[in-house]
């Protein structure tokens, strides 16, 4: 770890070194080219939303950062090192939360899975677990089994388990796609709050353009067949964001307009 | 809601008891009316008397103990081997490549057809009977365990990779609990198979136990004893299955 001062000093002279960097990434499955010449830098603490037509390779891009997929050519650099395998620094919130939780463990037990993998001493588990449950709004639900929880609660639990990893990077793959509008909005705000209080870098895949703008510091739009970075939109809306006023902000609306026409031609 | 369900279940339980009682009454009546020959179908009251007699003189009890311990011993051994081998094949592509076709070839063999081989190897001994039981009860558990381990949700393995979990941890915290329902399903079938084969084994190997007693009763035309033995075997099957169900619903509380 560099001392804080050096970092701050470096920032004045040169752009900060990115935490995540896609360098000339190609990825093919058999003869099919899925991703082509992806070049993308993501700064520490940045919230990047990724949008693009279905099947354009959003999930694949996310899996590259997680170390769950390997590129055919090029490197994904994380914190100065090429990604070769999954690491606990990077947590993944999977789209299908019901498949990503252990159905035989309670909410507390599912979080304990991560704490145990992290080597946290058992004596600290109860406090850590209740703090994490409270963070995601599940205080008092520790004894529930996943099947006793709604979809929104299960996704909250998956987020809590990811936070137990104390990750520097949080990868989220259409995490709220299956949830109703109300639940979705409250989870959006919680993710924003968590991301800013923990200064974690977020890579957020979604097919909802408004969600992408509402959450992101930057929205990356992808083309399909093969997947390429088409355009990056700097969001630049004030933080903290607000479900009502942010969404009514003229800048929000013009971004939304821009993004819609981009998606239509993509 | 729950109360109505309980009442409903009680009603059907009582109904099935009533049906069985009615059957027994008709049977009893048919024997007394001379409609069936008591040599083949002795009256239930005679069977009951034979059962009581067997319990009092101790022969029924010792037969039951011997047969039950054989059944459970063979079944447990088969379940352990089946689950371990099944886990290996279900988890390791290499083990599957080496063992897969051999096991596929052995699987369809009826255990009874292997009796001559077991006799040749073990003689008419206790080991021979155990070998028949264990061989027969192995397959249900093995096959079901293989499919249980193959069906583990791939997403959970990815969760494990992201968390950097070690191999033993993945096996005991993810794969085994996932496969447990199927392992149990296999063990349940294995238990039924064991009970069938213990009778076959005792008859073929002339080993004392309920199976042999039934055979001897038949040879000496003691049909009440024959039916008493069958009734006890039925009871054993019922009780062991109930016990297994209880253990299963404890262990798989999360389903
Ligand atoms: N393991 C794989 N093997 C072969 N093709 C795959 C694999 N994973 C993804 N693909 C293909 O890659 C393309 C991009 O997939 P994905 O990244 O899931 O897209 P998105 O998340 O944007 O919908 C899809 O056409 C998909 O069929
Ligand atoms: Mg996807």
């Amino acid at each position: 770890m560099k001392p804080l001062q050096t970092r701050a000093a470096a920032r004045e002279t040169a752009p900060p070194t990115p935490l995540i960097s896609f360098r000339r990434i190609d990825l093919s499955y058999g003869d099919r080219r899925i991703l082509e010449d992806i070049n993308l830098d993501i700064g520490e603490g940045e919230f990047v939303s990724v949008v693009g037509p279905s099947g354009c390779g959003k999930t694949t891009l996310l899996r590259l950062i997680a170390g769950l997929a390997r590129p055919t050519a090029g490197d994904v650099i994380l914190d100065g090192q090429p990604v070769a395998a999954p690491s606990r620094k990077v947590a993944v919130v999977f789209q299908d939360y019901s498949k990503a939780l252990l159905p035989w463990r309670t909410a507390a037990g599912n979080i304990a899975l991560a704490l145990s993998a992290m080597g946290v001493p058992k004596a600290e588990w109860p406090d850590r677990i209740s703090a994490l449950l409270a963070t995601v709004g599940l205080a008092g639900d520790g004894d529930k089994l996943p099947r006793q929880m709604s979809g929104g609660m299960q996704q909250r639990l998956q987020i809590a388990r990811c936070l137990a990893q104390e990750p520097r990077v949080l990868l989220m793959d259409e995490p709220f796609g299956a949830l109703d509008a109300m639940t979705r909005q409250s989870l959006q705000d919680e993710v924003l709050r968590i991301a800013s209080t923990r200064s974690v870098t977020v890579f957020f895949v979604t097919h909802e353009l408004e969600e992408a703008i509402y959450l992101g510091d930057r929205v990356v739009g992808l083309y399909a067949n093969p997947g390429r970075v088409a355009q990056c939109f700097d969001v630049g809306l004030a933080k903290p964001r607000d479900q009502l006023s942010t969404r009514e902000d003229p800048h929000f609306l013009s971004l939304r307009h821009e993004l819609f026409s981009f998606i239509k031609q993509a | 809601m729950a109360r109505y369900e309980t009442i409903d279940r009680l009603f059907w339980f009582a109904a099935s008891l009533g049906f069985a009682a009615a059957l027994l009454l008709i049977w009893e009546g048919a024997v007394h009316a001379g409609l069936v020959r008591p040599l083949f179908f002795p009256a239930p009251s005679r069977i009951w008397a034979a059962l009581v007699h067997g319990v009092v003189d101790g022969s029924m009890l010792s037969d039951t103990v011997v047969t039950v311990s054989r059944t459970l011993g063979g079944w447990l051994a088969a379940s352990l081997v089946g689950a371990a081998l099944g886990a290996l094949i279900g988890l390791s592509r290499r083990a599957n490549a080496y063992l897969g076709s051999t096991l596929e070839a052995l699987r369809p063999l009826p255990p009874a057809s292997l009796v001559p081989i077991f006799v040749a190897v073990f003689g008419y001994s206790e080991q021979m009977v155990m070998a028949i039981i264990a061989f027969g009860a192995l397959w249900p558990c093995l096959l079901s365990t293989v499919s249980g381990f193959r069906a583990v949700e791939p997403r959970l393995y990815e969760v494990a990779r992201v968390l950097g979990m070690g191999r033993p941890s993945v096996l005991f915290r993810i794969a085994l609990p996932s496969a447990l329902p199927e392992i149990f399903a296999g063990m349940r079938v294995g238990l039924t198979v064991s009970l069938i084969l213990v009778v076959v084994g005792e008859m073929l190997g002339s080993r004392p136990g309920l199976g042999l007693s039934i055979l001897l009763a038949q040879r000496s035309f003691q049909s009440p004893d024959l039916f008493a033995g069958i009734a006890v075997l039925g009871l054993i099957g019922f009780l062991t299955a109930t016990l297994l169900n209880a253990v299963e619903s404890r262990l798989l509380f999360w389903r």
Side-chain angles (χ1 to χ4, degrees):
Chain A
M1 275 266 160
K2 278 190 235 163
L4 219 71
Q5 226 167 0
T6 333
R7 259 199 204 167
R11 188 165 294 192
E12 281 164 24
T13 52
T17 45
L19 181 62
I20 304 164
S21 204
F22 290 88
R23 298 207 183 140
R24 314 208 56 164
I25 293 290
D26 292 329
L27 189 147
S28 306
Y29 284 122
D31 287 341
R32 248 193 88 201
R33 176 139 290 203
I34 309 293
L35 296 173
E36 188 170 270
D37 196 29
I38 304 281
N39 291 285
L40 184 68
D41 286 347
I42 298 170
E44 173 126 44
E46 197 178 5
F47 199 123
V48 173
S49 304
V50 180
V51 296
S54 165
C56 71
K58 303 181 292 292
T59 297
T60 308
L61 214 51
L62 178 144
R63 292 171 63 83
L64 282 170
I65 306 176
L68 292 170
R70 303 296 311 274
T72 310
D75 274 316
V76 179
I77 310 290
L78 173 72
D79 202 16
Q81 301 287 323
V83 174
S87 119
R88 296 190 192 114
K89 284 190 287 192
V90 180
V92 186
V93 177
F94 291 101
Q95 185 173 6
D96 39 10
Y97 40 79
S98 61
K99 290 182 181 168
L101 296 170
L102 302 184
W104 53 87
R105 285 197 183 209
T106 60
N110 269 282
I111 295 176
L113 185 79
L115 294 177
S116 135
M118 297 287 292
V120 175
K122 261 199 173 134
E124 294 176 22
W125 289 9
D127 287 349
R128 292 280 285 272
I129 288 170
S130 23
L132 285 162
L133 286 171
T135 303
V136 297
L138 289 179
D141 293 315
D143 291 334
K144 291 207 172 95
L145 288 167
R147 71 169 159 81
Q148 298 167 319
M149 303 167 80
S150 67
M153 290 167 80
Q154 290 183 32
Q155 193 57 293
R156 285 167 198 270
L157 176 57
Q158 201 193 174
I159 293 171
R161 185 180 65 199
C162 286
L163 295 179
Q165 270 176 258
E166 308 206 316
R168 290 184 70 187
V169 180
L170 191 58
L171 307 175
M172 307 185 84
D173 190 2
E174 304 194 24
F176 311 143
L179 305 178
D180 64 88
M182 292 297 286
T183 310
R184 173 186 274 259
Q185 291 200 348
S186 75
L187 274 163
Q188 286 168 351
D189 289 332
E190 276 175 44
V191 164
L192 279 178
R193 183 176 47 76
I194 289 165
S196 74
T197 51
R198 305 196 171 220
S199 62
V200 56
T201 306
V202 185
F203 186 91
F204 191 100
V205 171
T206 177
H207 58 252
E208 276 270 307
L209 301 185
E210 297 193 17
E211 179 172 73
I213 302 166
Y214 181 73
L215 295 174
D217 296 322
R218 186 153 52 119
V219 180
V220 175
L222 300 180
Y223 283 139
N225 298 315
R228 284 149 294 157
V229 174
Q231 221 169 329
C232 290
F233 303 84
D234 277 316
V235 175
L237 288 161
K239 283 187 170 180
R241 306 226 166 125
D242 177 87
Q243 291 288 356
L244 274 181
S245 60
T246 302
R247 286 174 192 271
E248 284 166 355
D249 190 311
H251 185 53
F252 182 93
L253 296 175
S254 73
L255 262 174
R256 178 172 168 268
H257 192 97
E258 219 179 323
L259 218 49
F260 260 102
S261 38
F262 158 75
I263 283 291
K264 232 191 253 164
Q265 48 138 37
Chain B
M1 274 310 255
R3 185 180 304 164
Y4 287 122
E5 266 167 36
T6 316
I7 291 174
D8 207 42
R9 280 195 10 216
L10 277 177
F11 171 78
W12 285 110
F13 183 64
S16 71
L17 276 187
F19 182 73
L23 269 187
L24 287 177
L25 272 178
I26 293 170
W27 181 354
E28 184 85 34
V31 175
H32 288 298
L35 295 176
V36 292
R37 293 183 59 190
L39 188 58
F40 300 136
F41 290 104
S45 54
R46 296 276 316 281
I47 299 174
W48 177 253
L51 191 61
V52 172
H53 184 259
V55 172
V56 170
D57 80 2
S59 62
M60 184 66 85
L61 231 49
S62 63
D63 279 350
T64 304
V65 169
V66 172
T67 298
V68 167
S69 27
R70 271 190 201 120
T71 309
L72 294 184
W75 171 68
L76 276 176
S79 300
L80 272 177
V81 174
L85 214 55
L88 194 67
I89 296 168
L91 288 173
S92 146
R93 198 167 296 179
R94 189 175 297 172
N96 186 35
Y98 283 126
L99 296 171
S101 21
T102 310
L103 293 176
E104 277 308 309
L106 284 176
R107 182 172 68 92
L109 294 177
S113 71
L114 295 181
V115 169
I117 299 176
F118 290 138
V119 171
V121 176
F122 298 114
Y124 288 102
S125 65
E126 192 61 33
Q127 288 93 317
M128 188 274 284
V129 180
M130 295 305 282
I132 295 175
I133 301 172
F135 180 81
L138 175 73
W139 301 104
C141 187
L142 175 72
L143 295 175
S144 187
T145 305
V146 170
S147 85
F149 275 95
R150 285 203 183 136
V152 177
E153 173 55 51
R155 187 66 81 220
L156 290 180
Y157 284 138
E158 291 188 345
V159 169
R161 285 179 65 194
V162 169
L163 287 173
M165 288 167 60
R167 272 183 153 238
S169 202
V170 174
L171 175 62
F172 288 108
R173 292 180 184 170
I174 289 179
L176 187 61
S178 294
L180 209 53
E182 289 222 47
I183 297 175
F184 256 105
M187 286 175 71
R188 194 204 311 265
V189 178
L191 185 61
T192 312
V193 172
S194 298
L195 201 58
I196 295 169
L197 290 178
V198 75
V199 173
V200 172
E202 286 174 0
M203 288 179 173
L204 290 171
S206 296
R207 304 298 302 172
L210 285 171
L212 184 62
S213 295
I214 290 172
L215 187 70
L216 295 180
Q218 183 257 324
R219 284 190 182 151
S220 53
F221 304 103
Q222 300 292 329
S223 48
D225 288 334
L226 172 79
F227 276 85
I230 292 173
V232 173
L233 278 172
L235 191 67
I236 294 171
F238 174 74
L239 289 180
T240 46
T242 308
L243 204 69
L244 190 62
N245 274 343
V247 173
E248 182 177 336
S249 56
R250 264 285 161 93
L251 228 52
L252 303 180
F253 63 93
W254 50 274
R255 299 235 293 168

